[in-house]
Amino acid sequence: MATATTDLAAFIRGLPKAELHLHLEGTLEPALKFALASRNGIELAESTVAEVEATYQFHDLTSFLQVYYPAMRVLQQAQDFHDLAFAYLTRAHADGVRHVEMFFDPQAHTSRGVRFDTVISGYRSAIVQARREFGMSAELIMCFLRDQSAEYAMATLMEALPYKEWIIGVGLDSDERGNPPSKFAEVFARARREGFLLTMHCDIDQDNSIEHIRQALEDIGVDRIDHGTNIIENDALVELARSRGIAFTCCPVSNSFVTQSGKSEEILTLLNRGILVTVNSDDPSYFGAYAADNYVALTNSAEVTIDQVVALAKNSFQASWISTARRDAFLLEVDRYVGDNT
Ligand code: ADE
Ligand code: ZN
């Protein structure tokens, strides 16, 4: 049994896991931001890493997004998107991440004149390189920006159709206030007909959180929910999510930035109630925590047993959009790791 804190952190880092809630644009580290700005002849207001980090003053989702979206202007060419994704995949590999399903926000780029195929071809080549070099698997989930119109989301879905083979599912992110799931019902229905799997953010402690979770589950029929721990306030919805095996991709460190609480107790209560909760990093460069750091943060902020840590890692594979054969192989890998390290 791993006991000391450092042993536990090392155990967590080596534990095979999948990451299911990761925004590629949220992995932009300040050093890479400077390199890309220089490559593309873009002048930045900040000139040191410390100056960039000083702009990370988040107290809620909106204040985070106000810093997050403008930073993306350094991403211009396919090589930039490749470098961003490959840097993340390299970092995740070191954290025991064996499989990752990564969000990207095409509209954050097409809206400033970068072509859809520039974005996706850069991300795709990084995935192929990570598979070749680390044996790691990665998929893309295309998110629509919920503070933009449903028409723009539908047009983006149409633009993505030629790249279907490279996109496993669609999601919904950005500012939830006043932008309920129902706004995108038609877009998600079309995405489903096109064969995409469905997920969407139900961010923490939003206005109408419960109604948004209800719409996602009952009206849209999502396969997963990103965040969504407010479901704990409604027993009937918890039971619905449990009976359907709906996964919740939780992000403790992100939670602590945008709501001042990691929501660890909620995550563990849902785990104990049989909900498929997973631990993820959301926007690791902004919140200073990659996959393993989020597991460690959870264990630091609540009473968590090794068995619960292992259950969370297993959940990450159970909730992944992979074949049954690969899922079984990953679960066996977890069991072997636990057997060798406890
Ligand atoms: N974009 C990046 N991270 C996000 C989050 N946690 N919620 C909504 N939109 C996001
Ligand atoms: Zn997110």
Side-chain angles (χ1 to χ4, degrees), residues 97-218:
V97 175
R98 297 282 198 279
H99 171 77
V100 53
E101 294 170 9
M102 312 182 291
F103 298 129
F104 73 114
D105 281 353
Q107 292 163 283
H109 313 299
T110 55
S111 60
R112 55 188 177 82
V114 177
R115 290 165 50 115
F116 187 96
D117 73 310
T118 300
V119 179
I120 198 159
S121 62
Y123 285 153
R124 177 68 191 175
S125 65
I127 289 172
V128 171
Q129 188 178 350
R131 185 169 59 211
R132 206 175 53 237
E133 290 190 17
F134 315 134
M136 200 175 161
S137 57
E139 299 284 355
L140 291 171
I141 300 173
M142 179 175 78
C143 281
F144 305 111
L145 300 187
R146 69 196 310 159
D147 48 354
Q148 302 287 320
S149 70
E151 291 71 25
Y152 188 12
M154 187 66 95
T156 300
L157 179 61
M158 296 302 109
E159 205 170 3
L161 292 184
Y163 303 94
K164 245 186 192 178
E165 294 302 312
W166 292 353
I167 302 171
I168 195 163
V170 300
L172 188 66
D173 64 4
S174 197
D175 206 341
E176 188 166 331
R177 198 167 11 149
N179 298 299
S182 58
K183 174 176 167 185
F184 297 93
E186 247 182 74
V187 179
F188 275 72
R190 177 65 189 265
R192 176 69 91 198
R193 288 200 299 279
E194 296 291 347
F196 295 103
L197 290 160
L198 310 183
T199 188
M200 59 173 56
H201 280 58
C202 290
D203 269 277
I204 309 289
D205 295 346
Q206 296 290 303
D207 296 344
N208 302 321
S209 265
I210 288 296
E211 171 57 13
H212 290 188
I213 292 168
R214 191 204 63 72
Q215 287 178 10
L217 289 172
E218 292 189 348

Side-chain angles (χ1 to χ4, degrees), residues 21-23 103 173 201 203 226-227 251 282-283:
H21 187 154
L22 180 281
H23 298 262
F103 298 129
D173 64 4
H201 280 58
D203 269 277
D226 304 306
H227 300 295
C251 310
D282 208 4
D283 302 286

Side-chain angles (χ1 to χ4, degrees), residues 13-14 89-97:
R13 208 160 297 281
L89 290 164
T90 304
R91 179 68 184 74
H93 175 62
D95 256 5
V97 175

Side-chain angles (χ1 to χ4, degrees), residues 1 46 69 119 156 235 253 261 266 283 292:
M1 180 70 82
E46 306 86 18
Y69 284 111
V119 179
T156 300
D235 286 342
V253 177
S261 160
E266 288 85 341
D283 302 286

